[in-house]
Amino acid sequence: MDFAFGEEDEAFRAQARSWLAGHVAGGWERRAWERALGKAGWIGLGWGEGGYGNRTATLTQQVVWAEEYARSGAPPRSGHIGEKLLAPTLLAHGSAEQKARFLPPVALGEELWCQGYSEPGAGSDLAGVRTRAERCPDGTYRITGQKIWTSLAHEADWCFVLARTDPDSRRHHGLGFLLVPMDQPGRVEVRPIRQLTGTSDFNEVFFDGAQARAEHLVGGEGAGWTVAMSLLGFERGVSTLAQQIGFAGELARVVREAVDRGAVDDPVIREQLVRQWAELRVMRWHALRTLGGTGDAGAPSVAKLLWGGWHQRLGELAMRVRGAAAGAGPRDWTPSAPYTLDDVQRGFLFSRADTIYGGSDQVQRTIIAERVLGLPREPKGGV
């Protein structure tokens, strides 16, 4: 696919850059920022013509928006799970009624979503989910179980939940993909998970008889695995290019600090800096080569392996550049603020999870081995 930007793309870039320049400045509450994006039509650029209140854009224009957003220093998104994961899934598998109900609020930035996939006993092995969804006489589903590592669950209005609708089923059979409202006191409990960084972006979510309507089952009973796997295919697309813009900014800061501290005079550190730059270029070309393509079962796994390891190594390199000073916080310890980090330290600690969340490196290599190279499937049960 040719990703040369034409005149229309550059006009789109100027429009995006102008809007961002006029709105990024100033403190934004996260929901207010999502509504501002929605009001201006910047949510759902890739959905196509559907009448859901979104602005349409070509694939190259979506790349332009992602790049300009990252360069502008705009706030982190709270609505990306609804926009980038739920919406494409509904467009592919949802009923007309489901699309009409859920897509317009996402496009307007009015409803936020979280993803109910991983469980304590079914993280990387998603087919092992144990959360149950029992069909009640009134047609609703009663959901019982636990999800973990649920990003932004503490802010979300809705959760798409992979649950077992057939209690006698095993593995990827008998699963359902349900849209569940989070505002169910006594039935849905969210517990933040404190991370190494001191923040709590991830959560445990407990469902104790939570209700979901029958018309909010996507794809029908037993189709949950198909729908869930389709969603994972949407997880890595245009957004990876924006991610790489952010990575480039992080690398530039590490290079500047290496120069300022004289660490760049160390030939080992200098070689590592060059390697990080070269690998980032490889990531970009891989993303452009695979963007918009279909049928490449290994492309998402290769992308995850590339960026997860790269970002983790950058965090380690940033600490190496700083030397002994990396162990000291930006402010003196006080009883009221005993755990203060700067951006570099926070990035290093958070990057320890990069090779785990979103599918661990081991799982990605297994996918490539089985689905691309055609190697024998991994034995189950340690046999």
Side-chain angles (χ1 to χ4, degrees):
M1 182 175 291
D2 182 8
F3 272 88
F5 297 117
E7 292 184 6
E8 291 186 359
D9 298 325
E10 294 305 330
F12 187 86
R13 185 187 302 278
Q15 184 182 5
R17 187 174 293 175
S18 174
W19 188 89
L20 287 164
H23 289 80
V24 167
W28 283 90
E29 186 272 329
R30 295 177 72 156
R31 282 182 175 267
W33 177 246
E34 290 297 322
R35 289 192 292 269
L37 290 170
K39 184 178 179 180
W42 294 113
I43 298 177
L45 299 180
W47 297 357
E49 299 284 355
Y52 305 116
N54 59 300
R55 179 202 306 246
T56 59
T58 65
L59 189 57
T60 49
Q61 289 169 351
Q62 294 169 50
V63 172
V64 165
W65 168 253
E67 291 182 339
E68 292 302 320
Y69 191 95
R71 289 192 179 105
S72 72
R77 294 287 309 280
S78 294
H80 64 282
I81 295 176
E83 179 188 8
K84 303 297 185 182
L85 300 184
L86 175 75
T89 302
L90 289 183
L91 289 168
H93 301 282
S95 66
E97 292 76 15
Q98 289 169 347
K99 296 173 189 176
R101 163 60 186 86
F102 292 107
L103 294 184
V106 172
L108 292 173
E110 293 177 349
E111 288 184 348
L112 303 182
W113 286 78
C114 61
Q115 177 178 355
Y117 273 22
S118 295
E119 299 181 4
S124 296
D125 183 16
L126 191 58
V129 297
R130 299 173 64 183
T131 295
R132 304 188 310 277
E134 177 187 1
R135 187 71 178 265
C136 300
D138 62 0
T140 62
Y141 286 90
R142 182 180 176 87
I143 302 168
T144 304
Q146 178 187 358
K147 298 294 181 178
I148 197 168
W149 307 118
T150 309
S151 301
L152 303 178
H154 57 296
E155 298 181 9
D157 304 296
W158 290 81
C159 181
F160 47 87
V161 177
L162 187 64
R164 202 161 290 284
T165 53
D166 180 355
D168 299 321
S169 65
R170 291 176 56 83
R171 304 297 297 164
H172 58 275
H173 301 288
L175 297 172
F177 187 97
L178 287 152
L179 311 180
V180 183
M182 294 291 284
D183 186 15
Q184 299 189 53
R187 295 176 174 174
V188 178
E189 180 185 358
V190 177
R191 298 180 188 173
I193 299 173
R194 186 175 174 86
Q195 300 152 217
L196 284 172
T197 56
T199 58
S200 301
D201 298 313
F202 302 117
N203 305 269
E204 294 179 282
V205 181
F206 296 85
F207 298 100
D208 186 9
Q211 292 184 327
R213 295 164 60 174
E215 60 266 33
H216 293 168
L217 176 71
V218 179
E221 284 201 10
W225 184 256
T226 299
V227 177
M229 292 301 100
S230 175
L231 181 143
L232 291 178
F234 299 126
E235 200 165 14
R236 297 160 192 139
V238 171
S239 59
T240 62
L241 290 166
Q243 178 190 51
Q244 291 161 24
I245 298 293
F247 285 171
E250 291 182 43
L251 176 57
R253 288 193 292 272
V254 174
V255 171
R256 285 196 299 270
E257 187 160 3
V259 172
D260 293 343
R261 291 180 177 272
V264 74
D265 296 331
D266 183 329
V268 174
I269 288 180
R270 189 164 60 247
E271 187 273 338
Q272 291 172 336
L273 290 168
V274 173
R275 182 178 294 275
Q276 291 290 132
W277 176 87
E279 290 177 352
L280 185 59
R281 299 301 296 174
V282 169
M283 275 193 280
R284 176 172 176 79
W285 292 118
H286 174 76
L288 291 175
R289 182 181 65 83
T290 59
L291 191 62
T294 58
D296 189 344
S301 293
V302 171
K304 177 59 171 60
L305 285 171
L306 286 173
W307 74 253
W310 184 93
H311 197 229
Q312 195 171 89
R313 290 191 297 276
L314 181 68
E316 294 167 353
L317 180 55
M319 294 295 99
R320 200 170 298 123
V321 164
R322 190 169 287 188
R331 289 189 293 275
D332 290 339
W333 183 94
T334 66
S336 60
Y339 198 73
T340 304
L341 303 170
D342 62 23
D343 289 342
V344 173
Q345 292 168 322
R346 191 176 299 108
F348 163 69
L349 290 175
F350 190 86
S351 71
R352 308 316 299 164
D354 284 338
T355 53
I356 301 174
Y357 69 79
S360 69
D361 278 13
Q362 292 84 349
V363 168
Q364 304 306 330
R365 291 190 178 98
T366 298
I367 291 172
I368 294 170
E370 295 177 356
R371 301 182 188 178
V372 180
L373 302 178
L375 298 178
R377 295 185 66 83
E378 184 179 16
K380 301 299 181 184
V383 179

